[in-house]
């Protein structure tokens, strides 16, 4: 039991001055007040004592700025002295445990202080030691689900809860692992089945070896055939070469002959000298004829030119005279005209000028003169014409040109001679062509001989080759046949190799998978074992196991304790309480809830349904005290005080008395501080603390209660 020794307040609300309040280890205290400023009991400073305690713990609901005494410069200070430790909260926070002052941050110091309360946290300590003004009963006013949480935490069962949750998580994880491991194992089994070999690797290998040796034998055979073939071919080629070489001299000779003949073809032979001389003579004769004929022809030409020149001269002269005589016609026309005019002038009047003739006499005279002139001119012209005729007669007397007949004869003789020359030359040309044709024929014959020799040579080699070609082909065909078989064997061998490779890989894989399977099976077994152990563990500490039973036990203990209290007091003797814990399933989780029921005069009811306000307050108090007692027993930690700030306000005197009676029992081994206005029940308390309020300042006046001796 941790005892509250004293509380010191300074600059804390109405406790302006340093104020220290001592407490006994156990007993039932009444804290009352006198407000001298109002004359009443309210606003005296009672609640401030409880608030001071909470503040020292660091759990005051009012902020420290509002706790500082009005007008004071000192920060609100509350020192709490327990028998095991002290905590002082003012300007600084100071903690001593077992007389030793703790260092570190505020949080570290507070933690050191709380360690004194074992596993209880601050909230739990406050819940078990302090019910503030107008706060209802603690435990029964919690929701059904909160009750369990409260007990779980206060009894440090949360560790088991956490272990249970962890176990559930582990179970779920293990179940998943198990599924996965089983799947793995089953996959390995399936794979193993799939890898069962379809043939014996040794048999396949033996088959391969057999094939291999057959191929080696065949390779030898092929080599022999190839050798025979090559030898035959090479021998034949040597023979062919020898045969061809035997033709070489004849061929060379024939080709030499051809070359000589071709060279001769290029040369020209002299013509027949007798014919050449005859031709030369004929040419001399022809030339002589030509020269003589030329001479005669030249003479002819000279003669002819002379004659022509004479004729031309006459012709020119005649032409000139004719030109002169040409005026004759014009003159005779003039004569006619003048004569006509003169004849017409026989008339009286001149036909031209229409004058009288007399007047035309002059004109007639002129005409007559004119006529005489014309007549004279005509006479001249007639003389000229006579000259022309004389000249024409002279031209006619000129001799006619006759060429020399000898020249013609000479020309004919020349032509004849030239024809003879052409005939002789034609004879020479014919003889030359005949000689050339003969030579060409000889060349062709020689060429033919060369071709013949080449053909004979080819025929000889061909004969030799033909003789062996059959055998060579046979050898090739035979070797080819063997090679094809060899290839077939090779592909068979390859297939066997692939098969063998596959079989070996499968065997290797099978071995690996067998190991994997064994590992997986071991893993399955291991997980199964772990799962079983975990399930056993969960069952053991779970609702059906330890946790379930401990809850039921604790609840039974609380209700027993409560019922004992209720039963011991006349006014509550007819009320009994029982808790039931039930599983409530919500969203897949199973939560255990604690429900409270009461039986009033034999009728079971819920606490809110069947109890009056006064009865409920009484039962709540009894339950809270029972909870505190059970927790203390169970945890081994007991905060040895309880502050109730006007918890019985509004109750009638009897109910209140009942509550105080209950607290009297509880206060036998603890300190209970009841803040209350009433003075009528003071006799029931062991101590009374009177807080006096005057001029805004509270002071303490402690006294032994009148009934203290009796208690
Ligand atoms: N910061 C403060 N400084 C000084 N006085 C304060 C401060 N805060 C509150 N008070 C006064 O302290 C007095 C005591 O208040 P407290 O709550 O302790 O009274 P009480 O005795 O519990 O009264 P009630 O019976 O009405 O609950 C009150 O008169 C209040 O007005
Ligand atoms: Mg108060």
């Amino acid at each position: 039991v941790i005892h509250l020794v004293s509380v010191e307040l300074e600059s804390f609300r109405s406790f302006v001055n340093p104020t220290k309040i001592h407490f006994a280890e156990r007993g039932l205290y009444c804290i009352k007040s006198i407000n001298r400023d109002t004359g009443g009991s309210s606003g005296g400073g009672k609640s401030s004592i409880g608030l001071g305690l909470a503040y020292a713990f660091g759990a005051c609901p009012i902020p420290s700025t509002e706790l500082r005494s009005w007008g004071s410069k000192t920060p609100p200070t509350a020192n709490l002295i327990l028998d095991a430790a002290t905590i002082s909260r003012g300007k600084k926070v100071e903690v001593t445990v077992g007389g030793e002052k703790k260092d570190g941050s505020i949080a570290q110091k507070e933690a050191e202080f709380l360690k004194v309360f074992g596993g209880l946290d601050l909230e739990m300590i406050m819940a078990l030691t302090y019910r503030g003004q107008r706060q209802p009963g603690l435990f029964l006013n919690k929701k059904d689900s909160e009750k369990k949480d409260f007990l779980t935490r206060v009894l440090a069962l949360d560790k088991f809860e956490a272990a249970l949750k962890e176990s559930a998580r582990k179970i779920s994880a293990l179940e998943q692992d198990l599924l996965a491991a089983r799947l793995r194992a089953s996959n390995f089994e399936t794979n193993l089945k799939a890898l069962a070999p379809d043939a014996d690797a040794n048999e396949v290998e033996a088959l391969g070896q057999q094939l291999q040796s057959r191929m080696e034998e065949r390779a030898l055979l092929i080599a022999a055939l190839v050798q025979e073939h090559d030898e035959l071919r090479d021998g034949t080629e040597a023979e062919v070469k020898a045969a061809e070489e035997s033709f070489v001299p004849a061929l060379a000779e024939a080709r030499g002959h051809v070359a000589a003949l071709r060279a001769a073809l290029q040369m020209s032979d002299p013509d027949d000298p007798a014919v050449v001389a005859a031709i030369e003579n004929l040419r001399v004769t022809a030339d002589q004829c030509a020269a003589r004929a030329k001479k005669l022809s030249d003479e002819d030409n000279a003669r002819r030119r002379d004659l022509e020149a004479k004729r031309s001269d006459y012709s020119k002269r005649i032409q000139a005279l004719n030109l002169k005589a040409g005026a004759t016609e014009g003159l005779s026309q003039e004569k006619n005209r003048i004569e006509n005019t003169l004849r017409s002038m026989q008339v009286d009047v001149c036909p031209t000028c229409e004058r009288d003739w007399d007047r035309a006499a002059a004109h007639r005279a002129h005409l007559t003169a004119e006529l005489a002139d014309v007549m004279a001119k005509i006479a001249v012209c007639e003389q000229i014409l006579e000259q022309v005729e004389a000249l024409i007669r002279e031209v006619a007397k000129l001799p006619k040109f006759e060429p020399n007949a000898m020249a013609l004869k000479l020309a004919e003789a020349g032509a004849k001679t030239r024809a003879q020359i052409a005939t002789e030359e034609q004879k020479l040309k014919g003889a030359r062509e005949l000689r050339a044709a003969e030579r060409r024929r000889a060349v062709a014959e020689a060429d033919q001989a060369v071709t013949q020799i080449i053909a004979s040579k080819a025929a000889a080699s061909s004969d030799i080759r033909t003789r062996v070609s059959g055998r060579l082909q046979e050898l090739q065909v035979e070797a080819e046949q063997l090679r094809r078989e060899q290839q077939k064997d090779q592909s068979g061998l390859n297939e066997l190799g692939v098969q063998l490779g596959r079989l070996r890989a499968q065997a290797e894989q099978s071995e690996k998978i067998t190991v994997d399977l064994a590992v997986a099976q071991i893993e399955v077994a291991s997980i199964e074992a772990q799962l079983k152990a975990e399930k056993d563990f969960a069952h053991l500490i779970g609702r059906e196991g330890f946790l379930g039973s401990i809850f039921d036990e604790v609840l039974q203990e609380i209700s027993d304790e409560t019922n004992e209290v209720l039963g011991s007091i006349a006014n509550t003797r007819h009320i009994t309480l029982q808790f039931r814990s039930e599983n409530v399933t919500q969203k897949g989780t199973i939560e255990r809830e604690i429900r409270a029921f009461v039986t009033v005069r034999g009728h079971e009811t819920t606490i809110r349904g069947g109890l009056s306000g006064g009865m409920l307050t009484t039962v709540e108090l009894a339950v809270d005290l029972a909870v505190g007692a059970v927790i203390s027993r169970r945890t081994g930690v007991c905060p040895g005080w309880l502050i109730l700030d006007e918890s019985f306000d509004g109750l009638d005197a009897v109910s209140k008395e009942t509550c105080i009676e209950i607290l009297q029992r509880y206060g036998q081994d603890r300190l209970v501080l009841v803040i209350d206005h009433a003075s009528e029940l003071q006799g029931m308390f062991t101590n009374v603390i009177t807080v006096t309020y005057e001029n805004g300042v509270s002071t303490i006046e402690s006294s032994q209660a009148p009934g203290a001796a009796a208690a």
Side-chain angles (χ1 to χ4, degrees), residues 15 36 59 85 105 141 179 186 219 224 279 287 301 310 334 437 440 463 480 483 523 532 541 610 615 642:
F15 290 95
R36 294 206 195 284
S105 66
N141 278 288
L179 262 177
S186 118
I279 288 173
D287 288 350
N301 284 342
K310 277 180 185 157
E334 187 68 15
R440 275 199 296 275
D463 277 354
E480 200 46 47
R483 277 197 196 100
E523 206 184 339
K532 188 175 175 299
I541 66 158
M615 285 155 94
L642 172 66

Side-chain angles (χ1 to χ4, degrees), residues 11-16 31-35 37-38 41-51 62 64-72 133-134 645-646 675-677 691 693 696-698:
S11 188
F12 193 89
R13 284 167 60 98
S14 55
F15 290 95
V16 181
I31 300 177
K32 62 173 192 170
S33 67
I34 301 164
N35 189 337
D37 292 353
T38 63
S41 61
S42 211
K46 304 182 291 293
S47 294
S48 300
I49 296 171
L51 287 171
I62 300 167
S64 68
T65 46
E66 286 178 41
L67 294 172
R68 181 202 291 259
S69 296
W70 296 325
S72 167
Q133 191 158 349
R134 284 195 195 86
D645 191 348
E646 294 189 39
I675 294 168
D676 196 53
H677 287 278
V691 188
Y693 183 84
V697 176
S698 295

Side-chain angles (χ1 to χ4, degrees), residues 4 63 81-82 99 118 127 136 190 204 240 299 301 306 325 465 503 520 533 535 603 618 638 651 659 687 691 698:
L4 174 62
I81 293 103
L82 307 177
T190 315
V204 172
V240 164
E299 281 168 14
N301 284 342
D306 186 44
R465 286 202 178 101
L503 286 170
K535 277 182 176 166
H603 297 282
T618 313
C638 179
L651 294 189
C659 290
N687 290 76
V691 188
S698 295

Side-chain angles (χ1 to χ4, degrees), residues 1-2 116-118 120 154-155 629-639:
V1 181
I2 299 157
V116 172
F117 294 88
L120 291 180
V154 94
L155 293 170
V630 169
I631 287 168
S632 295
R633 265 206 300 280
R634 291 254 166 193
T635 60
V637 182
C638 179

